[in-house]
Amino acid sequence: MPGQQTTREIVGVVGDVRHFGLEQPSEPQMFVPHAQMPWPSMAVVIRTPLDAARLGAAVRQAVWTVDDTIPVPPIRPMADALAGAVGQPKFRAWLLGLFAAMAMVLAMTGLYGTMAYAAQQRTREIGLRIALGATPRQATSLLLFNGLRLTALGTAIGLAGSVGVSRALSSLLFGVGAADPATFVGVPMALAAVAWLACYLPARRARQLDPIRAINSE
């Protein structure tokens, strides 16, 4: 203890405790008997299958048998205390998750629309390639390649920007680091799969074109 030359016997080791909030890092602490270091207030934790309302009267009576001048605050279930501690972070996580899902849907829709428009604009070129002997797969592979190239470029830019943004949002995270490997690997893979699907469907539709009709189309 600071300023005290006291020798103590260690009788057990417990896990980390976050006394002042889940977002605060755990610090080295030592639990000592109340008789050796009295404190003006304390918290008593009781594990019981009974309802908190039914338990309150029994707890007060047990405390007052020791000292009837001790004030006993209302009994609060641990679930309520935990909900109060994580309620706001959960709401922020849900809100950010909703915005992220909306952004993914908008990105997928925009990419699909762009690729479909590009395929429509190159209808004559695709028909001419097929008429000259190219297979439908060869004629449309360029569409798919261009789409995936843009996706790779956008993913690289997004990863570079997300590094800075994640550090700014680190105060909103709990149990996940700002540079969490699973997030930085899983999210780009999921977005790449969605982008590939958005590129593949217009390319597949372009493969089914009739070369003569495609060349004569306006």
Side-chain angles (χ1 to χ4, degrees):
M1 303 300 295
Q4 298 182 18
Q5 299 296 329
T6 304
T7 301
R8 298 187 182 275
E9 178 184 359
I10 300 175
V11 298
V13 179
V14 300
D16 294 340
V17 178
R18 299 173 185 263
H19 278 298
F20 305 105
L22 296 177
E23 71 281 358
Q24 301 293 332
S26 58
E27 299 179 357
Q29 299 185 38
M30 183 169 61
F31 298 89
V32 296
H34 183 72
Q36 297 180 13
M37 183 178 291
W39 199 254
S41 63
M42 68 170 58
V44 179
V45 181
I46 303 175
R47 176 179 294 177
T48 175
L50 300 178
D51 183 72
R54 298 174 52 189
L55 191 64
V59 171
R60 293 186 183 90
Q61 187 63 33
V63 173
W64 289 338
T65 56
V66 178
D67 188 347
D68 57 4
T69 63
I70 298 178
V72 180
I75 302 297
R76 187 182 183 189
M78 185 62 70
D80 294 350
L82 184 60
V86 302
Q88 189 174 3
K90 277 188 175 181
F91 175 75
R92 291 198 298 258
W94 179 86
L95 197 61
L96 290 175
L98 178 62
F99 288 155
M102 293 174 60
M104 180 177 292
V105 172
L106 290 176
M108 181 180 62
T109 304
L111 183 59
Y112 179 84
T114 302
M115 292 303 301
Y117 178 75
Q120 183 179 3
Q121 292 297 108
R122 301 178 66 175
T123 299
R124 290 187 177 182
E125 177 187 346
I126 294 174
L128 183 59
R129 288 175 179 269
I130 296 176
L132 293 177
T135 63
R137 183 172 185 177
Q138 292 174 341
T140 58
S141 60
L142 186 60
L143 289 176
L144 189 60
F145 174 76
N146 288 337
L148 294 179
R149 183 179 61 180
L150 292 176
T151 301
L153 179 61
T155 301
I157 296 175
L159 283 175
S162 63
V163 173
V165 174
S166 62
R167 295 186 183 277
L169 297 177
S170 59
S171 60
L172 303 178
L173 303 176
F174 174 71
V176 180
D180 181 57
T183 302
F184 278 86
V185 173
V187 172
M189 291 181 61
L191 291 176
V194 172
W196 179 86
L197 183 62
C199 297
Y200 173 75
L201 293 180
R204 181 182 178 185
R205 183 181 303 172
R207 292 180 188 177
Q208 301 174 355
L209 291 174
D210 184 0
I212 304 301
R213 295 182 59 185
I215 293 175
N216 295 329
S217 62
E218 296 184 0

